[in-house]
């Protein structure tokens, strides 16, 4: 009887040993470096091109690598940089703001009118930022976030409306601004650097912190990755979207203060190409146009790339029209590269998961094949 029990126990032990699946080895796909929210690999190529372009211009153009030109370059990209910060957050949610240039122009006219009314320059600048915040949140954020309208249609329509309001309010004339505070924003230096450069750096630091260290930044990526999944996890998608467009409007308001300070006037013609330049910088920095992946670090690289390119073309004597052509071509290329990057990763990862790995690291799994696996096998 004891013998039988011993034999049964051994059989059970052997059976459990046989049925225990072998430890799975990671497939080749799982060992690939996955794209992260702000990984260096997403903008490494653009950074390398930026370094090469910087070196070439330094060698071929005597005026490029001068102290004054570097300061002018950084100050000239400050307006686009501030708008690009807000645009980064919007694109992270898989959206787009085509009205940010018109919001900038309208905010500049608002600043000029408020100062004309006798409001001190510092107070007027703060009111302008709040004005941009309200314009972006009410006109763009609520229709897109609460009413779920198409961001393309809404922002395009708002851009047209704001452009008309700007021309009506300003009577299509440039309004000169006389304010010591606004002038200091445009022309003063702190520790040898122009004030717009410090404002740009502060915006980059603030937005990078919010994106990386707060729940709000996490929510942006979640909404851009899968809006329904984000809603099911408890994220208030509607008000987060409203907040993002309001923040972009505030960035446009702040950028208008810097722009007005640099020009000494508020013009209805400013901001026409801001949206294009901001989107180009964000996409060149690796932020995915479909949302969910990207970050401020890449936007910094994209802004510098566009700024150095335009500065170098200007020093070389290339006309502004050709600079617009080149900037547009860069934008199209950035979207195309982003698309190739997405399809490349998805194809590699889907092949790896469907095959279960290659070579000695392959893992044999049981069960019927999934639809994706069957499709891959058939193709």
């Amino acid at each position: 009887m004891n013998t039988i029990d011993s034999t049964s126990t051994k059989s059970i032990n052997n059976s459990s040993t046989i049925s225990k699946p072998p430890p799975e080895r990671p497939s080749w796909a799982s060992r690939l470096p996955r794209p992260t929210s702000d990984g260096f690999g997403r903008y490494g190529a653009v950074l390398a091109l930026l370094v090469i372009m910087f070196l070439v211009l330094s060698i071929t153009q005597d005026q490029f690598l001068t102290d004054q030109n570097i300061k002018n370059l950084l100050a000239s990209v400050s307006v686009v940089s501030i708008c690009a910060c807000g645009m980064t957050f919007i694109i992270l949610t898989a959206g787009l703001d085509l009205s940010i240039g018109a919001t900038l122009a309208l905010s500049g006219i608002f600043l000029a009118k408020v100062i004309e009314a006798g409001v001190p320059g510092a107070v007027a600048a703060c009111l302008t930022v709040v004005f941009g915040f309200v314009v972006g949140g009410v006109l763009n954020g609520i229709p897109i976030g609460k009413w779920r309208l198409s961001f393309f249609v809404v922002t395009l329509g708002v851009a047209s409306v704001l452009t008309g309001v700007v021309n009506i309010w300003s009577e299509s004339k440039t309004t000169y601004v006389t304010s010591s505070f606004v002038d200091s924003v445009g022309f003063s230096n702190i520790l040898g650097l122009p004030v717009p450069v410090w404002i740009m750096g502060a915006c980059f630091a603030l937005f990078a912190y919010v994106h990386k260290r707060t729940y709000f930044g996490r929510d942006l990526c979640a909404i851009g990755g899968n809006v329904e999944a984000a809603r099911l996890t408890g994220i208030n998608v509607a008000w987060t979207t409203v907040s993002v467009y309001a923040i972009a409007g505030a960035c446009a308001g702040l950028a208008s203060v810097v722009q007005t300070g640099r020009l000494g006037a508020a013009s209805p013609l400013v901001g026409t190409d801001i949206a294009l330049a901001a989107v180009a910088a964000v996409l060149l920095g690796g932020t995915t146009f479909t949302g969910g992946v990207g970050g401020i670090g890449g936007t910094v690289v994209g802004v510098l790339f566009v700024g150095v390119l335009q500065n170098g073309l200007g020093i070389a004597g290339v006309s502004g029209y050709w600079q617009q052509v080149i900037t547009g071509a860069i934008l199209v290329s950035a979207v195309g590269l982003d698309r190739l990057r997405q399809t490349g990763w998805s194809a590699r990862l889907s092949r790896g998961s469907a095959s279960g790995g290659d070579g000695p690291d392959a893992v044999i799994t049981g069960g019927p094949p999934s639809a994706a696996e069957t499709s891959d096998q058939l193709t």
Side-chain angles (χ1 to χ4, degrees):
M1 189 70 177
N2 292 335
T3 304
I4 296 174
D5 291 342
S6 175
T7 304
S8 301
T9 303
K10 290 180 180 179
S11 299
I12 293 173
N13 291 336
N14 291 337
S15 175
S16 62
T17 302
I18 295 172
S19 62
K20 183 178 179 180
E24 293 186 357
R25 296 179 180 179
S27 66
W28 67 274
S30 65
R31 296 197 302 271
L32 289 172
R34 303 296 179 90
T36 59
S37 61
D38 193 19
F40 173 78
R42 298 196 63 82
Y43 56 86
V46 177
L47 180 59
L49 289 175
L50 172 62
V51 173
I52 293 172
M53 182 169 56
F54 190 90
L55 293 175
V56 170
L57 290 173
S58 301
I59 296 171
T60 58
Q61 303 295 329
D62 296 335
Q63 299 179 356
F64 178 77
L65 199 60
T66 61
D67 181 69
Q68 188 60 42
N69 184 63
I70 296 300
K71 289 180 181 180
N72 290 338
L73 190 157
L74 294 176
S76 66
V77 300
S78 59
V79 174
V80 175
S81 301
I82 296 169
C83 293
C85 287
M87 190 70 76
T88 301
F89 276 14
I90 289 178
I91 295 180
L92 280 174
T93 63
L96 188 66
D97 186 1
L98 299 175
S99 66
I100 196 167
T103 304
L104 185 150
L106 181 62
S107 299
I109 299 298
F110 174 86
L111 175 65
K113 297 297 184 181
V114 170
I115 291 177
E116 279 185 356
V119 178
V123 178
C126 294
L127 290 176
T128 302
V129 175
V130 175
F131 176 77
F133 182 89
V134 173
V135 169
V138 173
L139 298 185
N140 287 329
I142 291 178
I144 296 171
K146 296 292 290 183
W147 303 340
R148 300 185 184 182
L149 301 182
S150 168
F151 64 83
F152 183 84
V153 175
V154 171
T155 58
L156 184 62
V158 169
S160 178
V161 170
L162 295 184
T163 301
V165 172
V166 165
N167 287 291
I168 293 171
W169 198 6
S170 66
E171 298 179 351
S172 300
K173 298 177 182 178
T174 299
T175 306
Y176 292 96
V177 177
T178 55
S179 169
S180 58
F181 177 82
V182 176
D183 291 341
S184 65
V185 170
F187 295 103
S188 295
N189 292 332
I190 297 178
L191 299 178
L193 288 177
V195 171
V197 178
W198 289 104
I199 296 175
M200 174 181 66
C203 287
F204 280 142
L206 177 61
F207 276 75
Y209 176 82
V210 171
H211 178 224
K212 288 294 187 180
R213 301 297 181 183
T214 66
Y215 288 110
F216 182 78
R218 177 209 62 182
D219 294 347
L220 300 182
C221 295
I223 293 171
N226 190 321
V227 63
E228 292 302 325
R231 186 176 288 110
L232 292 175
T233 58
I235 297 174
N236 194 330
V237 174
W239 283 114
T240 301
T241 304
V242 173
S243 301
V244 166
Y245 283 91
I247 291 171
C251 288
L254 179 59
S256 72
V257 176
V258 176
Q259 183 82 295
T260 303
R262 286 175 53 80
L263 296 177
S267 171
L269 301 178
V270 301
T272 55
D273 58 345
I274 290 294
L276 175 65
V279 172
V282 173
L283 295 181
L284 283 171
T287 299
T288 304
F289 192 71
T290 53
V293 177
I296 297 297
T299 299
V300 174
V301 175
V303 165
L304 291 177
F305 183 89
V306 175
V308 170
L309 177 63
Q310 292 180 343
N311 181 267
L313 292 175
I315 293 176
V318 179
S319 68
Y321 299 113
W322 278 108
Q323 292 183 32
Q324 292 178 342
V325 171
I326 294 173
T327 303
I330 289 174
L331 176 60
V332 174
S333 301
V335 175
L337 289 174
D338 179 67
R339 180 62 178 169
L340 289 175
R341 185 164 51 217
Q342 291 181 62
T343 56
W345 275 111
S346 60
R348 293 171 69 183
L349 295 178
S350 62
R351 285 199 301 268
S353 60
S355 62
D358 288 337
D361 290 333
V363 178
I364 301 175
T365 57
S370 65
E373 293 172 336
T374 304
S375 176
D376 279 349
Q377 292 171 1
L378 291 176
T379 56

